[in-house]
Short mmCIF file of all heavy atoms in Angstrom, two decimals:
data_model
loop_
_atom_site.label_atom_id
_atom_site.label_comp_id
_atom_site.label_asym_id
_atom_site.label_seq_id
_atom_site.Cartn_x
_atom_site.Cartn_y
_atom_site.Cartn_z
N ASP A 27 123.35 159.86 -36.45
CA ASP A 27 123.22 158.60 -37.20
C ASP A 27 124.01 158.61 -38.52
O ASP A 27 124.51 159.65 -38.95
CB ASP A 27 121.75 158.31 -37.52
CG ASP A 27 121.00 157.75 -36.31
OD1 ASP A 27 121.63 157.56 -35.25
OD2 ASP A 27 119.78 157.52 -36.44
N PHE A 28 124.04 157.43 -39.15
CA PHE A 28 124.70 157.26 -40.45
C PHE A 28 123.66 156.77 -41.47
O PHE A 28 122.85 155.90 -41.14
CB PHE A 28 125.84 156.24 -40.35
CG PHE A 28 126.90 156.69 -39.40
CD1 PHE A 28 126.82 156.34 -38.05
CD2 PHE A 28 127.94 157.48 -39.83
CE1 PHE A 28 127.79 156.77 -37.15
CE2 PHE A 28 128.91 157.93 -38.94
CZ PHE A 28 128.83 157.58 -37.59
N ALA A 29 123.69 157.34 -42.67
CA ALA A 29 122.68 156.97 -43.67
C ALA A 29 123.27 157.12 -45.07
O ALA A 29 124.32 157.73 -45.26
CB ALA A 29 121.46 157.86 -43.50
N VAL A 30 122.55 156.56 -46.04
CA VAL A 30 123.01 156.55 -47.44
C VAL A 30 121.95 157.15 -48.35
O VAL A 30 120.76 156.81 -48.25
CB VAL A 30 123.31 155.09 -47.89
CG1 VAL A 30 123.46 155.00 -49.40
CG2 VAL A 30 124.56 154.56 -47.19
N ASP A 31 122.39 158.07 -49.22
CA ASP A 31 121.55 158.47 -50.34
C ASP A 31 122.12 157.75 -51.55
O ASP A 31 123.21 158.08 -52.02
CB ASP A 31 121.56 160.00 -50.54
CG ASP A 31 120.63 160.43 -51.67
OD1 ASP A 31 120.05 159.53 -52.32
OD2 ASP A 31 120.48 161.64 -51.90
N ALA A 32 121.40 156.76 -52.06
CA ALA A 32 121.92 155.91 -53.13
C ALA A 32 121.85 156.59 -54.50
O ALA A 32 122.51 156.14 -55.44
CB ALA A 32 121.15 154.59 -53.16
N THR A 33 121.07 157.65 -54.61
CA THR A 33 120.92 158.35 -55.90
C THR A 33 120.90 159.86 -55.64
O THR A 33 119.82 160.47 -55.54
CB THR A 33 119.60 157.93 -56.60
OG1 THR A 33 118.51 158.11 -55.67
CG2 THR A 33 119.61 156.47 -57.04
N ALA A 34 122.07 160.44 -55.58
CA ALA A 34 122.18 161.86 -55.16
C ALA A 34 121.38 162.81 -56.03
O ALA A 34 120.71 163.72 -55.52
CB ALA A 34 123.65 162.27 -55.14
N GLY A 35 121.48 162.66 -57.35
CA GLY A 35 120.74 163.54 -58.28
C GLY A 35 121.02 165.00 -58.02
O GLY A 35 122.18 165.44 -58.04
N ASN A 36 119.99 165.76 -57.73
CA ASN A 36 120.19 167.20 -57.47
C ASN A 36 120.42 167.49 -55.98
O ASN A 36 120.47 168.65 -55.59
CB ASN A 36 118.99 168.00 -57.98
CG ASN A 36 118.96 168.00 -59.51
OD1 ASN A 36 119.99 168.17 -60.15
ND2 ASN A 36 117.78 167.79 -60.09
N GLY A 37 120.51 166.44 -55.19
CA GLY A 37 120.95 166.61 -53.80
C GLY A 37 119.87 166.90 -52.77
O GLY A 37 120.18 167.12 -51.60
N HIS A 38 118.61 166.86 -53.17
CA HIS A 38 117.55 167.20 -52.21
C HIS A 38 117.50 166.21 -51.05
O HIS A 38 117.40 166.60 -49.89
CB HIS A 38 116.18 167.23 -52.91
CG HIS A 38 116.11 168.27 -53.99
ND1 HIS A 38 115.95 169.60 -53.73
CD2 HIS A 38 116.20 168.17 -55.33
CE1 HIS A 38 115.94 170.28 -54.85
NE2 HIS A 38 116.09 169.43 -55.85
N ASP A 39 117.56 164.91 -51.38
CA ASP A 39 117.48 163.90 -50.31
C ASP A 39 118.74 163.89 -49.46
O ASP A 39 118.67 163.68 -48.25
CB ASP A 39 117.26 162.50 -50.90
CG ASP A 39 115.91 162.38 -51.56
OD1 ASP A 39 114.95 163.00 -51.08
OD2 ASP A 39 115.82 161.68 -52.59
N THR A 40 119.89 164.13 -50.09
CA THR A 40 121.14 164.17 -49.32
C THR A 40 121.07 165.29 -48.29
O THR A 40 121.42 165.10 -47.12
CB THR A 40 122.35 164.39 -50.26
OG1 THR A 40 122.37 163.36 -51.25
CG2 THR A 40 123.65 164.36 -49.49
N LEU A 41 120.59 166.45 -48.71
CA LEU A 41 120.48 167.58 -47.77
C LEU A 41 119.47 167.27 -46.67
O LEU A 41 119.71 167.56 -45.49
CB LEU A 41 120.08 168.86 -48.54
CG LEU A 41 119.89 170.10 -47.67
CD1 LEU A 41 121.15 170.43 -46.87
CD2 LEU A 41 119.49 171.31 -48.53
N PHE A 42 118.37 166.64 -47.07
CA PHE A 42 117.35 166.28 -46.06
C PHE A 42 117.96 165.35 -45.00
O PHE A 42 117.81 165.58 -43.80
CB PHE A 42 116.17 165.59 -46.77
CG PHE A 42 115.05 165.23 -45.85
CD1 PHE A 42 114.19 166.19 -45.32
CD2 PHE A 42 114.86 163.90 -45.47
CE1 PHE A 42 113.17 165.86 -44.46
CE2 PHE A 42 113.83 163.55 -44.60
CZ PHE A 42 112.98 164.53 -44.10
N LEU A 43 118.70 164.33 -45.46
CA LEU A 43 119.32 163.40 -44.52
C LEU A 43 120.40 164.09 -43.68
O LEU A 43 120.52 163.85 -42.48
CB LEU A 43 119.93 162.21 -45.27
CG LEU A 43 118.95 161.18 -45.85
CD1 LEU A 43 119.68 160.19 -46.75
CD2 LEU A 43 118.23 160.43 -44.73
N ALA A 44 121.17 164.96 -44.32
CA ALA A 44 122.24 165.66 -43.60
C ALA A 44 121.65 166.50 -42.47
O ALA A 44 122.22 166.57 -41.38
CB ALA A 44 123.05 166.54 -44.56
N ASN A 45 120.51 167.10 -42.70
CA ASN A 45 119.85 167.87 -41.65
C ASN A 45 119.38 166.97 -40.51
O ASN A 45 119.42 167.35 -39.34
CB ASN A 45 118.66 168.65 -42.21
CG ASN A 45 119.12 169.92 -42.92
OD1 ASN A 45 120.06 170.58 -42.47
ND2 ASN A 45 118.48 170.25 -44.03
N LEU A 46 118.95 165.75 -40.86
CA LEU A 46 118.46 164.83 -39.82
C LEU A 46 119.60 164.34 -38.92
O LEU A 46 119.43 164.23 -37.71
CB LEU A 46 117.77 163.61 -40.45
CG LEU A 46 116.43 163.84 -41.15
CD1 LEU A 46 115.91 162.52 -41.71
CD2 LEU A 46 115.40 164.45 -40.21
N VAL A 47 120.76 164.05 -39.51
CA VAL A 47 121.84 163.44 -38.70
C VAL A 47 122.69 164.48 -37.98
O VAL A 47 123.43 164.14 -37.04
CB VAL A 47 122.75 162.49 -39.51
CG1 VAL A 47 121.94 161.37 -40.13
CG2 VAL A 47 123.55 163.24 -40.58
N GLY A 48 122.61 165.73 -38.42
CA GLY A 48 123.33 166.80 -37.73
C GLY A 48 124.84 166.68 -37.84
O GLY A 48 125.36 165.89 -38.65
N GLU A 49 125.53 167.42 -37.00
CA GLU A 49 127.00 167.51 -37.12
C GLU A 49 127.71 166.24 -36.67
O GLU A 49 128.82 165.95 -37.10
CB GLU A 49 127.51 168.69 -36.29
CG GLU A 49 127.32 170.01 -37.01
CD GLU A 49 127.62 171.20 -36.14
OE1 GLU A 49 128.38 171.06 -35.16
OE2 GLU A 49 127.07 172.28 -36.45
N LYS A 50 127.06 165.47 -35.80
CA LYS A 50 127.73 164.26 -35.29
C LYS A 50 127.52 163.05 -36.21
O LYS A 50 128.21 162.05 -36.10
CB LYS A 50 127.21 163.93 -33.88
CG LYS A 50 127.80 164.86 -32.81
CD LYS A 50 127.28 164.52 -31.43
CE LYS A 50 126.17 165.48 -31.06
NZ LYS A 50 125.01 164.95 -30.42
N GLY A 51 126.55 163.15 -37.11
CA GLY A 51 126.26 162.03 -38.00
C GLY A 51 126.97 162.17 -39.33
O GLY A 51 127.75 163.10 -39.54
N HIS A 52 126.71 161.22 -40.24
CA HIS A 52 127.35 161.30 -41.56
C HIS A 52 126.47 160.65 -42.63
O HIS A 52 125.83 159.64 -42.38
CB HIS A 52 128.72 160.61 -41.52
CG HIS A 52 129.64 161.14 -42.57
ND1 HIS A 52 130.42 162.26 -42.39
CD2 HIS A 52 129.87 160.72 -43.85
CE1 HIS A 52 131.11 162.50 -43.49
NE2 HIS A 52 130.80 161.57 -44.40
N ILE A 53 126.49 161.26 -43.82
CA ILE A 53 125.75 160.73 -44.96
C ILE A 53 126.74 160.36 -46.07
O ILE A 53 127.67 161.12 -46.35
CB ILE A 53 124.77 161.80 -45.54
CG1 ILE A 53 123.85 162.35 -44.46
CG2 ILE A 53 123.97 161.24 -46.72
CD1 ILE A 53 123.00 161.33 -43.75
N TYR A 54 126.51 159.22 -46.69
CA TYR A 54 127.27 158.80 -47.87
C TYR A 54 126.31 158.88 -49.05
O TYR A 54 125.24 158.26 -49.03
CB TYR A 54 127.82 157.37 -47.69
CG TYR A 54 128.82 157.33 -46.57
CD1 TYR A 54 128.40 157.20 -45.25
CD2 TYR A 54 130.18 157.48 -46.83
CE1 TYR A 54 129.33 157.20 -44.21
CE2 TYR A 54 131.11 157.48 -45.79
CZ TYR A 54 130.68 157.34 -44.49
OH TYR A 54 131.58 157.37 -43.46
N SER A 55 126.70 159.65 -50.06
CA SER A 55 125.78 159.94 -51.16
C SER A 55 126.42 159.58 -52.49
O SER A 55 127.53 160.00 -52.79
CB SER A 55 125.44 161.44 -51.10
OG SER A 55 124.55 161.78 -52.11
N PHE A 56 125.70 158.79 -53.30
CA PHE A 56 126.28 158.20 -54.52
C PHE A 56 125.58 158.70 -55.78
O PHE A 56 124.35 158.87 -55.79
CB PHE A 56 126.11 156.67 -54.48
CG PHE A 56 126.90 156.04 -53.38
CD1 PHE A 56 126.41 155.98 -52.08
CD2 PHE A 56 128.16 155.52 -53.63
CE1 PHE A 56 127.16 155.43 -51.06
CE2 PHE A 56 128.93 154.95 -52.62
CZ PHE A 56 128.43 154.90 -51.33
N ASP A 57 126.35 158.87 -56.83
CA ASP A 57 125.75 159.04 -58.16
C ASP A 57 126.79 158.71 -59.22
O ASP A 57 127.98 158.93 -59.01
CB ASP A 57 125.22 160.47 -58.38
CG ASP A 57 124.06 160.49 -59.37
OD1 ASP A 57 124.30 160.25 -60.58
OD2 ASP A 57 122.91 160.70 -58.94
N ILE A 58 126.30 158.18 -60.35
CA ILE A 58 127.21 157.82 -61.43
C ILE A 58 127.49 159.02 -62.34
O ILE A 58 128.36 158.94 -63.19
CB ILE A 58 126.67 156.64 -62.28
CG1 ILE A 58 125.23 156.92 -62.72
CG2 ILE A 58 126.76 155.33 -61.51
CD1 ILE A 58 124.72 155.94 -63.77
N GLN A 59 126.75 160.11 -62.14
CA GLN A 59 126.96 161.28 -63.01
C GLN A 59 127.72 162.37 -62.25
O GLN A 59 127.29 162.82 -61.19
CB GLN A 59 125.62 161.85 -63.47
CG GLN A 59 124.83 160.90 -64.35
CD GLN A 59 123.65 161.60 -65.00
OE1 GLN A 59 123.84 162.46 -65.84
NE2 GLN A 59 122.45 161.22 -64.61
N GLN A 60 128.80 162.83 -62.88
CA GLN A 60 129.60 163.91 -62.27
C GLN A 60 128.74 165.15 -62.04
O GLN A 60 128.86 165.83 -61.01
CB GLN A 60 130.80 164.22 -63.20
CG GLN A 60 131.74 165.28 -62.67
CD GLN A 60 132.41 164.90 -61.34
OE1 GLN A 60 132.67 163.72 -61.08
NE2 GLN A 60 132.63 165.89 -60.49
N SER A 61 127.85 165.44 -62.99
CA SER A 61 127.02 166.66 -62.87
C SER A 61 126.12 166.58 -61.63
O SER A 61 125.88 167.58 -60.96
CB SER A 61 126.17 166.86 -64.12
OG SER A 61 125.37 165.73 -64.35
N ALA A 62 125.65 165.38 -61.31
CA ALA A 62 124.80 165.21 -60.12
C ALA A 62 125.63 165.42 -58.85
O ALA A 62 125.17 166.06 -57.90
CB ALA A 62 124.18 163.81 -60.12
N ILE A 63 126.85 164.90 -58.86
CA ILE A 63 127.73 165.08 -57.69
C ILE A 63 128.00 166.58 -57.48
O ILE A 63 127.95 167.09 -56.36
CB ILE A 63 129.06 164.30 -57.90
CG1 ILE A 63 128.78 162.78 -57.95
CG2 ILE A 63 130.08 164.63 -56.83
CD1 ILE A 63 128.27 162.16 -56.66
N GLU A 64 128.24 167.28 -58.59
CA GLU A 64 128.52 168.72 -58.48
C GLU A 64 127.29 169.48 -57.98
O GLU A 64 127.39 170.36 -57.13
CB GLU A 64 128.97 169.27 -59.84
CG GLU A 64 130.42 168.91 -60.14
CD GLU A 64 130.81 169.12 -61.59
OE1 GLU A 64 130.09 169.81 -62.33
OE2 GLU A 64 131.85 168.56 -61.99
N GLU A 65 126.14 169.14 -58.52
CA GLU A 65 124.89 169.81 -58.11
C GLU A 65 124.64 169.58 -56.62
O GLU A 65 124.26 170.49 -55.89
CB GLU A 65 123.74 169.22 -58.95
CG GLU A 65 122.44 169.96 -58.87
CD GLU A 65 122.52 171.37 -59.43
OE1 GLU A 65 123.25 171.60 -60.43
OE2 GLU A 65 121.85 172.23 -58.86
N THR A 66 124.87 168.34 -56.19
CA THR A 66 124.66 168.01 -54.78
C THR A 66 125.67 168.74 -53.91
O THR A 66 125.32 169.30 -52.86
CB THR A 66 124.76 166.48 -54.57
OG1 THR A 66 123.77 165.85 -55.40
CG2 THR A 66 124.53 166.07 -53.13
N TYR A 67 126.93 168.80 -54.37
CA TYR A 67 127.97 169.53 -53.63
C TYR A 67 127.54 170.99 -53.44
O TYR A 67 127.60 171.53 -52.33
CB TYR A 67 129.32 169.47 -54.38
CG TYR A 67 130.38 170.29 -53.70
CD1 TYR A 67 131.19 169.74 -52.70
CD2 TYR A 67 130.57 171.64 -54.02
CE1 TYR A 67 132.13 170.50 -52.04
CE2 TYR A 67 131.50 172.42 -53.37
CZ TYR A 67 132.29 171.83 -52.37
OH TYR A 67 133.22 172.60 -51.72
N ASN A 68 127.08 171.61 -54.51
CA ASN A 68 126.70 173.03 -54.44
C ASN A 68 125.55 173.24 -53.46
O ASN A 68 125.55 174.19 -52.69
CB ASN A 68 126.30 173.55 -55.83
CG ASN A 68 127.52 173.62 -56.74
OD1 ASN A 68 128.65 173.68 -56.26
ND2 ASN A 68 127.30 173.59 -58.05
N ARG A 69 124.57 172.35 -53.52
CA ARG A 69 123.40 172.48 -52.61
C ARG A 69 123.85 172.37 -51.14
O ARG A 69 123.43 173.14 -50.29
CB ARG A 69 122.37 171.40 -52.96
CG ARG A 69 121.05 171.53 -52.22
CD ARG A 69 120.03 170.52 -52.69
NE ARG A 69 119.78 170.61 -54.11
CZ ARG A 69 119.04 171.53 -54.70
NH1 ARG A 69 118.43 172.44 -53.98
NH2 ARG A 69 118.89 171.55 -56.02
N LEU A 70 124.71 171.38 -50.89
CA LEU A 70 125.17 171.17 -49.50
C LEU A 70 126.04 172.32 -49.03
O LEU A 70 125.94 172.77 -47.89
CB LEU A 70 125.97 169.86 -49.41
CG LEU A 70 125.17 168.58 -49.66
CD1 LEU A 70 126.13 167.42 -49.91
CD2 LEU A 70 124.27 168.27 -48.47
N ASN A 71 126.89 172.77 -49.92
CA ASN A 71 127.82 173.84 -49.59
C ASN A 71 127.04 175.11 -49.22
O ASN A 71 127.34 175.77 -48.23
CB ASN A 71 128.72 174.09 -50.79
CG ASN A 71 129.99 174.79 -50.40
OD1 ASN A 71 130.45 174.64 -49.26
ND2 ASN A 71 130.55 175.56 -51.30
N GLN A 72 126.03 175.40 -50.02
CA GLN A 72 125.21 176.58 -49.78
C GLN A 72 124.50 176.50 -48.43
O GLN A 72 124.35 177.50 -47.73
CB GLN A 72 124.16 176.68 -50.90
CG GLN A 72 123.80 178.08 -51.24
CD GLN A 72 123.04 178.12 -52.56
OE1 GLN A 72 122.58 177.09 -53.07
NE2 GLN A 72 122.88 179.30 -53.11
#
Side-chain angles (χ1 to χ4, degrees):
D27 282 358
F28 298 91
V30 166
D31 183 356
T33 53
N36 290 317
H38 299 283
D39 293 326
T40 304
L41 178 57
F42 182 74
L43 287 171
N45 280 322
L46 291 180
V47 301
E49 281 171 23
K50 284 180 260 137
H52 205 86
I53 306 302
Y54 295 84
S55 181
F56 294 83
D57 208 290
I58 50 169
Q59 296 191 67
Q60 182 61 33
S61 57
I63 295 294
E64 283 166 15
E65 192 64 35
T66 301
Y67 176 88
N68 291 338
R69 187 175 303 283
L70 293 165
N71 201 28
Q72 212 166 14

